Amino acid sequence: MIVLFTDFGLTGPYVGQMKAVLAQQAPGVPVIDLFADAPAFEPQLSAYLLAAYAPWFPPGTVFLCVVDPGVGTDERLPVAVRAGGRWFVGPGNGLFEPVMRRSPQPAEAWRIAWQPPQLSASFHGRDLFAPVAAELATAPTVSGRLETVDPALLARPDWPDDLARIVYVDPYGNAMTGLRASAVPGDAVLRVGGTSIAPARTFGEVPVGCTLWYENSTGLVEIAVNRGRAAEVLGLRPGMAVDFT
């Protein structure tokens, strides 16, 4: 399958245009909409979100990922990465750092050396990344479109293993962090924006209207209000720092 992970949103034409390319070049391959609202212009926040969700997909899955504020510039390589048995296609701007770091086998990386006859300077998702993702989803081997590079070229050694920031606010107003719950003591008190929040296993363990942090279904530390919107109650937004006591 091909999994879409972008900051495009669903109200404009961009996801649809990429899907049109995939339908033409990888007919019959399922296309899964995972995130169209990854943190806009924020490869680092998006990277930890992607790393939390990727393991839920089987080996061989191709992730088409576009959070690319440097599109059309030389500040990042267009790349394909193989990590944990899965493919990741998109900009080499740190977006794949956590998935590479957490891969049980050494990650591999390729520069996309191919260019289509028409390549927009501002929409590599449609013109460059989607055709490569389609080929990886339908061909058993790496094609001549890819040129091997040292994965170290894509590394962000200064990035932490877990990111103590909010990386996503979901439709319920719950705020996911880039911290895996396994890296945090289960009885720790979380602090964000001047508020202290105690842990709970699930929403119903605290009174209606009360805050909690818990291990969400993908293993991340998440902040919530039982039957409320934590983002509004606490003024939370992507990028805010969190810590624990």
Side-chain angles (χ1 to χ4, degrees):
M1 69 184 75
I2 298 171
V3 176
L4 301 184
F5 181 97
T6 78
D7 62 354
F8 292 166
L10 293 175
T11 56
Y14 307 113
V15 170
Q17 287 179 288
M18 287 205 309
K19 283 186 171 181
V21 173
L22 298 176
Q24 293 176 73
Q25 300 190 23
V29 176
V31 177
I32 308 299
D33 293 298
L34 182 56
F35 283 94
D37 58 348
F41 315 119
E42 293 284 357
Q44 187 185 45
L45 302 184
S46 298
Y48 290 86
L49 189 63
L50 174 63
Y53 279 83
W56 295 90
F57 292 84
T61 298
V62 179
F63 287 82
L64 173 52
C65 306
V66 191
V67 180
D68 195 12
V71 62
T73 71
D74 294 331
E75 68 182 54
R76 95 292 184 267
L77 292 174
V79 299
V81 165
R82 186 158 54 195
R86 303 169 187 87
W87 286 99
F88 300 85
V89 180
N93 57 9
L95 187 57
F96 306 138
E97 168 65 20
V99 294
M100 295 174 68
R101 192 181 297 185
R102 297 175 189 177
S103 175
Q105 303 87 26
E108 302 170 272
W110 292 264
R111 180 179 71 88
I112 299 174
W114 166 83
Q115 287 194 0
Q118 292 185 318
L119 176 63
S120 165
S122 61
F123 199 1
H124 286 186
R126 179 194 64 194
D127 299 337
L128 195 63
F129 301 142
V132 171
E135 182 168 4
L136 290 172
T138 55
T141 59
V142 174
S143 76
R145 293 181 175 186
L146 302 179
E147 179 181 278
T148 303
V149 296
D150 186 345
L153 290 175
L154 308 181
R156 297 293 191 276
D158 55 326
W159 287 16
D161 288 337
D162 291 87
L163 187 66
R165 294 186 178 276
I166 293 170
V167 299
Y168 184 73
V169 174
D170 76 9
Y172 294 97
N174 302 331
M176 300 182 197
T177 75
L179 291 165
R180 290 170 289 184
S182 60
V184 178
D187 60 353
V189 174
L190 180 148
R191 295 186 301 181
V192 60
T195 300
S196 295
I197 303 172
R201 187 180 63 87
T202 191
F203 312 105
E205 289 189 353
V206 303
V208 172
C210 288
T211 59
L212 67 147
W213 76 261
Y214 67 104
E215 179 178 354
N216 74 7
S217 61
T218 56
L220 294 177
V221 169
E222 184 164 319
I223 303 163
V225 170
N226 185 17
R227 302 194 192 183
R229 301 183 63 81
E232 295 175 8
V233 172
L234 302 174
L236 307 179
R237 63 187 183 280
M240 288 184 69
V242 302
D243 62 14
F244 284 88
T245 58

